[in-house]
Amino acid sequence: MKFFLDTADVDEIREWSQTGLLDGVTTNPSLILKSGRDIKEVLAEICDIVDGDVSGEVAATDYDTMLAEGRELAKIAKNICIKLPITMDGLRACKTLVDEGFKTNMTLCFSANQALLVAKAGGTYVSPFIGRLDDMAIDGMELIEEIRVIFDNYDFDTEILAASIRTVNHVKDCALAGADVATMPPSTIEKLVKHPLTDAGLAAFLADWEKTGQKI
Ligand code: E4P
């Protein structure tokens, strides 16, 4: 499973890219707002740091303007992935942009049928939002499982990019369900490495090593 960072904070992206664990980045208009930066400027900087796909979202809702904005964003760098909402105009724009050789990430997916439409439109990624479904007492992980079955039934190439991830268990369950990518905030990736038994075990090993008086 690929790990994407869900942020437009370049300092955090730079830090995580040094670990070698980072496969890409997703942004959205809210994250651009939070960064306080110009969208093209910040996406260019992110694309410079990360080799993998970097999603930049269009702001238009009609087909023609979505196309124009998508092509404009794609000029920023080779690894830009054009993010579009799942609407009829968005799906149509996805098909056109994919036919032109661009990568797309179809966002705000809340049903298996929406994911099926994205696969039929040839989308590179579909982004089901787990956390926002959980917020409404609907099991977001069930959606990931359903999409996995549908995509496997028909050998669709569209990748499942699990989004709106809020907990470490979301990450584990996405991996068990066969999501291709999990995009998560830096605070969640940080928590994945933590285990109290690892900390306690390491402290004990270090104390015993000190007593040996040896050096490597
Ligand atoms: C993904 O592409 C979205 O930017 C993101 O995961 C949304 O997460 P949220 O529901 O926590 O805002």
Side-chain angles (χ1 to χ4, degrees), residues 6-7 26-31 55 57 83 105 107-108 127-132 135 161-166 183-185:
D6 197 29
T7 182
T26 50
T27 67
N28 63 36
S30 306
L31 293 170
S55 289
E57 189 161 342
K83 204 173 181 190
N105 173 2
T107 192
L108 294 166
S127 289
F129 277 38
I130 299 166
R132 293 192 195 187
D135 289 345
L161 196 170
S164 189
I165 284 180
R166 308 264 170 85
T183 189
M184 56 200 119

Side-chain angles (χ1 to χ4, degrees), residues 3-208:
F3 276 18
F4 284 8
L5 262 195
D6 197 29
T7 182
D9 182 325
V10 285
D11 291 333
E12 287 184 307
I13 293 167
R14 196 167 284 114
E15 191 185 321
W16 278 101
S17 78
Q18 285 163 2
T19 65
L21 297 171
L22 195 59
D23 301 297
V25 170
T26 50
T27 67
N28 63 36
S30 306
L31 293 170
I32 297 294
L33 174 70
K34 197 172 162 196
S35 77
R37 307 259 321 259
D38 171 81
I39 182 168
K40 289 186 194 169
E41 221 178 82
V42 75
L43 285 174
E45 204 173 325
I46 296 171
C47 288
D48 237 21
I49 302 168
V50 177
D51 289 333
D53 291 339
V54 174
S55 289
E57 189 161 342
V58 302
T61 54
D62 67 282
Y63 171 75
D64 288 322
T65 322
M66 277 175 161
L67 280 188
E69 288 186 0
R71 290 174 187 139
E72 192 61 27
L73 289 176
K75 282 184 200 159
I76 295 171
K78 273 195 293 195
N79 50 336
I80 280 283
C81 181
I82 304 162
K83 204 173 181 190
L84 305 146
I86 303 177
T87 59
M88 282 320 293
D89 282 58
L91 288 164
R92 199 178 145 209
C94 169
K95 177 86 180 74
T96 304
L97 291 166
V98 166
D99 286 347
E100 290 176 8
F102 298 115
K103 288 189 172 183
T104 57
N105 173 2
M106 298 302 289
T107 192
L108 294 166
C109 174
F110 294 98
S111 79
N113 281 330
Q114 288 179 321
L116 179 56
L117 287 168
V118 171
K120 288 187 67 66
T124 315
Y125 300 102
V126 63
S127 289
F129 277 38
I130 299 166
R132 293 192 195 187
L133 281 171
D134 284 359
D135 289 345
M136 297 186 69
I138 297 168
D139 186 356
M141 209 52 65
E142 252 178 42
L143 176 59
I144 303 289
E145 289 163 6
E146 286 176 355
I147 299 171
R148 182 72 280 157
V149 171
I150 292 169
F151 283 11
D152 288 349
N153 280 349
Y154 297 97
D155 277 335
F156 283 128
D157 291 330
T158 300
E159 293 190 44
I160 303 171
L161 196 170
S164 189
I165 284 180
R166 308 264 170 85
T167 67
V168 288
N169 280 340
H170 276 161
V171 180
K172 179 190 71 176
D173 290 340
C174 279
L176 287 169
D180 300 288
V181 188
T183 189
M184 56 200 119
S187 55
T188 304
I189 301 199
E190 255 163 44
K191 285 182 196 141
L192 294 178
V193 72
K194 301 268 184 219
H195 199 289
L197 289 179
T198 304
D199 296 340
L202 180 60
F205 284 156
L206 289 177
D208 285 344

